[in-house]
Amino acid sequence: MKRILSCLLLLLPLLASARERIRFDEGWEFAFGNAASPALDFGCGTEYFNYLTKAASIHNEGPYSRQFDKSKWPAGWKAVTLPHDWVVDLPFAREASHSHGYKTVGYKYPETSVGWYRKTFTIPAEDEGKHISLRFDGIFRNADVWVNGFWLGREPSGYATQVYDISEYLDYGAENLVTVRVDASLEEGWFYEGAGIYRHVWLEKTAPVHVAPFGTYVHTQLSQRGAEVTIETVVRNASAASADYALRHTLLEADGTPVGRASLPLRNVPAKADSRSEQTISVGNPRLWSLSDPYLYKVRTEVLAADAVVDTYETPFGIRSIVFDADKGFFLNGERVELKGVNQHQDHAGVGTAIPDALQVYRLKELKRLGVNAVRTSHNPATPEMLDACDSLGILVMEENRLTGVNEEHIRLLRRMIERDRNHPSIILWSIGNEEWGTEWKDKGTKITESMREYCHRLDPTRPMTVASSSGPHILITADVAGYNYIQQHKIDDLRVQYPQRKAVGTEETTGCGTRGIYFDQPEQGRMASLNRRNDTRDSTFNVIGRGWKFYEGRPWLGGLFYWTGFDYRGEPNPLSFPATGSEFGILDYCGFPKDEAWYLKAWWTEEPVLHVFPHWNLQGHEGEKIGVWVYGNCDEVELTVNGKRLGRKKMERGGYLSWEAVYRPGKVVATGYRKGRKVLTETLETTEKASAVALEADRTEIRADGRDLAVVNIGLQDRKGRFVPDACEWLTLEVDGPVRILGVGNGDPAWQERERPDRPDARSFRVKTFNGLAQVLLQSTGEPGRAILTVSGIGVVRQEIRVFR
């Protein structure tokens, strides 16, 4: 009888209910530490027995200890909600890092380069016996994590997902403490990276026998009979005794309808060990994931013990095939698809790298409107929610590893990326790195690529890998797909002759963009005119964005290209320097407002009729000067009239642009587009009066009352006739009423150095200055239902409001 009771007690944890995944973003406190002095860093590590000496020593008094007394330290702790990027609130300085946008973070600024996060939480007494873990999707960078004073570990990379087992460290039925120390003194990239817990955190509760983190790998094989779905599963036994388990997989349609099942008979998994298995399900006439129909299936995996379900794990995936061909380019589901891609860093005006999920979707939708169908995650693994959005929107992804190499640290990070993300149907290429100048031209580059290729294939045999070269040939020799950064830096046609079986894509190509709405260089103000409108570049070419488009469009054996970049990003403001703080090569600015080049790509990457004439006609100070008037579009012919004078009708070549020379005087410019001799489009530019009205447009007027969802509200200034004023730079006051907060603001100016968000999350008002007629405010739910109102006003501007319902 005693033995039976013992067995039953052992089974009780196994028979716990299905897993519970809790968003762990609320209720955190934040304070600055000090990177230069442990004594000033809340005494971290200065105790008699520090956290590395003894596990949860009673002598510990730092922020990771429950004995920590905040009143003894001058640093103020403030409440924050994750994701959080503390660099957004720091000032700019001329002597700060050029690559990171002149923000006062990094080794020069020890007082603002270390941040501490603390959160208390309660675990119910009835959870004892469960397996409980903490998952951090991204902390920039060099993060130490403690629970109840127990040091869990350190992750140097700011782009690696971290999962910690905290089951044995918890006090059940009582309060617990999690603490994170983040040190952003050193940079990983050469672009703005922010600092802090800038991605989501999750608390997960499961039975001791459960599907391991990222423990399913679902891949498919198409045939004439349908699709074979293979499910590889890792089941983990976190308990101290061996256990029997079985598996049941159910393949579900998007609406939850079961379409297939598979199972694994009872087997044993030893204590503190993993068990791997593989099952298949056949699907007749599957609905394929594609760009136009990004259909997602789901596998529900159930772990059974004693005939009861103890864990349920769901894996979204898509059924599709991908092929790169040396002669024909890229194929999706047997059909050739031209990769119309852009490179993307992860930061946005007002929030930095801490981009909310809804903003991820907004950014991708803005790109897709221009015909973009692919994104390269330059130069690091992406946020999981960004990949989810690509899956649901039908956008292809080249996901990039942060650091190239073959030792344990490099392969560990490569493994984490691939094992976490290989179920995403949007991902078509793994990139092992970018522009490794030290190895591109050497045999060691060939060897490193070859080794990393084999690791990629072992982790995911269903996708090819690539590496992006700035110009060196050796690093590309052993890649599945060669990545060419810039046609001016590679003799691609010669390489085609030398390597006729090589598969290749353009991993970077210049857009030639400059500052939105700027047509005359202003280097002293940190702004520049587009490179496309000048021929003083090194190859004396106008419209360099079109040079890249024509090159890849005329070579179908290449898979397509990824322009540099989709959005502007903070940092790396080349060829400018301070006061410029961000790169200006995006086809969209830092807020997502389109530059002229956006219409070029829309004209040649979509079927929608496009006619765009520029520059705007508010060119005060340039009266009497000769101005090049350009047109981007896909009409057969365009006629231009300036101030009533016809300047002629010209034919538009495929992938081209049109230009006329005119003398600037205030007035009107009219472009008329024709197709097959018939007028189809007209665009008019007029010299406007000063701004006196506000136009507000929200991407959504209904958001969820969950404390996380948000609406993007774009602000435009108009004159009294309702015409957009393209040079208006005016201060506006923003006021909110109701259950929303002003999460952040921006205006797309690459030299803007004002505050981007209120000091307090409950602030009811803020200010923003428009840049060339536009500004943006991010309104986030506070969690309560109801109607919210944003009111915008300014000196000489008619007050305007917009309602958001929740």
Side-chain angles (χ1 to χ4, degrees), residues 399-416:
E399 189 170 24
E400 191 151 88
N401 180 53
R402 174 68 289 280
L403 190 62
T404 306
V406 298
N407 288 298
E408 181 179 355
E409 180 67 9
H410 309 95
I411 303 308
R412 177 184 71 87
L413 294 174
L414 180 71
R415 177 185 298 275
R416 287 197 187 186

Side-chain angles (χ1 to χ4, degrees), residues 69-89:
D69 185 356
K70 290 188 289 186
S71 66
K72 294 182 179 179
W73 298 90
W77 290 80
K78 67 176 183 179
V80 296
T81 298
L82 308 182
H84 176 244
D85 173 5
W86 81 65
V87 180
V88 173
D89 300 318

Side-chain angles (χ1 to χ4, degrees), residues 675-790:
R675 280 188 172 179
K676 297 181 180 179
R678 297 181 59 185
K679 182 192 300 185
V680 292
L681 290 173
T682 299
E683 184 179 13
T684 301
L685 300 177
E686 292 183 283
T687 305
T688 70
E689 301 174 11
K690 67 177 183 178
S692 58
V694 175
L696 303 178
E697 182 179 5
D699 71 319
R700 295 180 297 155
T701 55
E702 293 187 14
I703 61 176
R704 295 184 301 276
D706 58 5
R708 297 181 292 273
D709 201 10
L710 63 76
V712 179
V713 180
N714 292 327
I715 303 169
L717 291 184
Q718 299 177 342
D719 67 7
R720 65 184 179 88
K721 295 182 179 180
R723 298 174 298 189
F724 173 65
V725 183
D727 59 343
C729 298
E730 307 291 343
W731 279 103
L732 300 174
T733 297
L734 314 173
E735 298 173 284
V736 293
D737 182 44
V740 294
R741 65 173 66 92
I742 299 173
L743 183 65
V745 301
N747 60 17
D749 181 0
W752 195 48
Q753 298 183 18
E754 303 292 336
R755 285 193 61 84
E756 295 179 77
R757 61 187 177 198
D759 289 325
R760 302 190 333 270
D762 61 347
R764 299 279 85 191
S765 64
F766 199 55
R767 298 179 75 213
V768 66
K769 189 176 185 180
T770 62
F771 175 65
N772 287 341
L774 297 172
Q776 185 179 84
V777 56
L778 307 176
L779 298 182
Q780 187 173 47
S781 158
T782 57
E784 303 84 18
R787 184 183 68 176
I789 300 175
L790 167 69

Side-chain angles (χ1 to χ4, degrees), residues 290-348:
S290 67
L291 302 183
S292 59
D293 182 23
Y295 189 80
L296 294 173
Y297 289 90
K298 185 181 293 183
V299 169
R300 183 175 63 217
T301 299
E302 295 169 303
V303 181
L304 297 94
D307 295 325
V309 175
V310 297
D311 187 31
T312 302
Y313 190 95
E314 293 189 335
T315 309
F317 73 102
I319 298 176
R320 52 97 177 108
S321 68
I322 57 170
V323 172
F324 281 88
D325 185 271
D327 297 317
K328 299 178 182 179
F330 173 69
F331 287 78
L332 177 65
N333 301 328
E335 296 183 1
R336 187 182 186 278
V337 172
E338 177 190 359
L339 296 178
K340 304 172 182 177
V342 294
N343 287 263
Q344 282 283 87
H345 285 307
Q346 181 184 300
D347 59 307
H348 192 94

Side-chain angles (χ1 to χ4, degrees), residues 26-70:
E26 287 78 30
W28 291 82
E29 291 182 304
F30 171 81
F32 283 115
N34 193 294
S37 168
L40 297 176
D41 194 27
F42 299 107
C44 176
T46 64
E47 305 97 336
Y48 180 68
F49 291 109
N50 67 39
Y51 66 91
L52 294 174
T53 307
K54 296 287 186 180
S57 170
I58 60 173
H59 297 277
N60 289 351
E61 295 181 355
Y64 36 75
S65 170
R66 282 184 285 195
Q67 292 109 255
F68 177 64
D69 185 356
K70 290 188 289 186

Side-chain angles (χ1 to χ4, degrees), residues 271-524:
K272 302 295 182 180
D274 291 347
S275 175
R276 299 175 182 272
S277 62
E278 181 178 309
Q279 287 76 45
T280 60
I281 299 175
S282 297
V283 181
N285 193 28
R287 186 169 169 181
L288 302 184
W289 186 92
S290 67
L291 302 183
S292 59
D293 182 23
Y295 189 80
L296 294 173
Y297 289 90
K298 185 181 293 183
V299 169
R300 183 175 63 217
T301 299
E302 295 169 303
V303 181
L304 297 94
D307 295 325
V309 175
V310 297
D311 187 31
T312 302
Y313 190 95
E314 293 189 335
T315 309
F317 73 102
I319 298 176
R320 52 97 177 108
S321 68
I322 57 170
V323 172
F324 281 88
D325 185 271
D327 297 317
K328 299 178 182 179
F330 173 69
F331 287 78
L332 177 65
N333 301 328
E335 296 183 1
R336 187 182 186 278
V337 172
E338 177 190 359
L339 296 178
K340 304 172 182 177
V342 294
N343 287 263
Q344 282 283 87
H345 285 307
Q346 181 184 300
D347 59 307
H348 192 94
V351 292
T353 57
I355 298 181
D357 299 350
L359 188 55
Q360 299 277 14
V361 174
Y362 174 83
R363 286 162 58 89
L364 290 167
K365 284 184 175 179
E366 291 302 293
L367 291 169
K368 192 167 183 176
R369 288 172 55 188
L370 305 177
V372 171
N373 66 12
V375 168
R376 178 184 179 218
T377 67
S378 317
H379 298 288
N380 48 262
T383 297
E385 290 73 25
M386 183 271 215
L387 297 174
D388 291 340
C390 289
D391 288 345
S392 63
L393 294 172
I395 297 176
L396 303 168
V397 176
M398 177 195 299
E399 189 170 24
E400 191 151 88
N401 180 53
R402 174 68 289 280
L403 190 62
T404 306
V406 298
N407 288 298
E408 181 179 355
E409 180 67 9
H410 309 95
I411 303 308
R412 177 184 71 87
L413 294 174
L414 180 71
R415 177 185 298 275
R416 287 197 187 186
M417 176 182 74
I418 294 177
E419 288 185 343
R420 187 194 71 175
D421 296 336
R422 59 191 175 183
N423 291 317
H424 288 281
S426 57
I427 296 176
I428 59 170
L429 276 170
W430 303 115
S431 173
I432 63 168
N434 177 72
E435 294 189 349
E436 293 291 348
W437 301 319
T439 62
E440 284 185 0
W441 293 87
K442 301 175 182 178
D443 288 340
K444 61 171 62 77
T446 306
K447 296 172 183 177
I448 291 170
T449 299
E450 183 178 39
S451 292
M452 294 193 77
R453 180 194 68 199
E454 294 311 302
Y455 282 112
C456 288
H457 291 176
R458 185 180 304 173
L459 295 166
D460 178 18
T462 71
R463 292 176 178 87
M465 52 72 67
T466 186
V467 62
S469 170
S470 66
S471 56
H474 289 70
I475 201 168
L476 299 175
I477 292 173
T478 49
D480 294 329
V481 178
Y484 296 128
N485 280 8
Y486 306 103
I487 58 178
Q488 292 298 101
Q489 297 170 195
H490 290 273
K491 296 180 179 180
I492 296 178
D493 289 335
D494 292 345
L495 291 169
R496 168 70 168 166
V497 175
Q498 187 176 358
Y499 300 101
Q501 298 305 310
R502 172 177 288 180
K503 305 161 188 174
V505 296
T507 34
E508 291 181 24
E509 191 53 50
T510 185
T511 63
C513 293
T515 310
R516 173 180 56 80
I518 296 295
Y519 297 97
F520 305 92
D521 286 336
Q522 303 172 359
E524 70 287 349

Side-chain angles (χ1 to χ4, degrees), residues 534-794:
R534 64 182 81 185
N535 67 350
D536 57 354
T537 54
R538 63 182 182 180
D539 60 339
S540 299
T541 299
F542 279 114
N543 204 45
V544 291
I545 189 173
R547 178 186 62 197
W549 186 93
K550 290 179 179 180
F551 184 91
Y552 283 93
E553 201 262 350
R555 290 162 178 79
W557 44 273
L558 294 167
L561 81 161
F562 293 80
Y563 275 108
W564 190 267
T565 54
F567 275 66
D568 281 352
Y569 58 94
R570 179 157 287 157
E572 204 178 21
N574 305 326
L576 303 178
S577 57
F578 193 85
T581 63
S583 173
E584 305 181 26
F585 292 124
I587 56 175
L588 305 176
D589 71 16
Y590 201 35
C591 291
F593 298 130
K595 303 178 188 178
D596 295 313
E597 289 81 2
W599 276 275
Y600 174 84
L601 290 183
K602 186 173 184 178
W604 303 114
W605 275 0
T606 75
E607 299 300 319
E608 184 178 335
V610 174
L611 180 64
H612 176 69
V613 58
F614 59 103
H616 62 70
W617 218 237
N618 280 22
L619 302 176
Q620 286 83 352
H622 296 277
E623 290 80 0
E625 295 181 14
K626 291 182 179 180
I627 300 294
V629 181
W630 282 37
V631 166
Y632 284 146
N634 49 21
C635 297
D636 299 336
E637 295 178 296
V638 178
E639 183 177 35
L640 191 74
T641 302
V642 176
N643 292 335
K645 180 180 179 181
R646 291 187 176 182
L647 299 187
R649 184 163 162 171
K650 296 185 177 182
K651 292 184 177 180
M652 176 76 74
E653 69 172 21
R654 180 168 173 78
Y657 72 100
L658 297 176
S659 67
W660 293 260
E661 190 176 82
V663 175
Y664 174 69
R665 290 184 178 84
K668 179 188 294 188
V669 176
V670 179
T672 305
Y674 298 86
R675 280 188 172 179
K676 297 181 180 179
R678 297 181 59 185
K679 182 192 300 185
V680 292
L681 290 173
T682 299
E683 184 179 13
T684 301
L685 300 177
E686 292 183 283
T687 305
T688 70
E689 301 174 11
K690 67 177 183 178
S692 58
V694 175
L696 303 178
E697 182 179 5
D699 71 319
R700 295 180 297 155
T701 55
E702 293 187 14
I703 61 176
R704 295 184 301 276
D706 58 5
R708 297 181 292 273
D709 201 10
L710 63 76
V712 179
V713 180
N714 292 327
I715 303 169
L717 291 184
Q718 299 177 342
D719 67 7
R720 65 184 179 88
K721 295 182 179 180
R723 298 174 298 189
F724 173 65
V725 183
D727 59 343
C729 298
E730 307 291 343
W731 279 103
L732 300 174
T733 297
L734 314 173
E735 298 173 284
V736 293
D737 182 44
V740 294
R741 65 173 66 92
I742 299 173
L743 183 65
V745 301
N747 60 17
D749 181 0
W752 195 48
Q753 298 183 18
E754 303 292 336
R755 285 193 61 84
E756 295 179 77
R757 61 187 177 198
D759 289 325
R760 302 190 333 270
D762 61 347
R764 299 279 85 191
S765 64
F766 199 55
R767 298 179 75 213
V768 66
K769 189 176 185 180
T770 62
F771 175 65
N772 287 341
L774 297 172
Q776 185 179 84
V777 56
L778 307 176
L779 298 182
Q780 187 173 47
S781 158
T782 57
E784 303 84 18
R787 184 183 68 176
I789 300 175
L790 167 69
T791 303
V792 181
S793 59

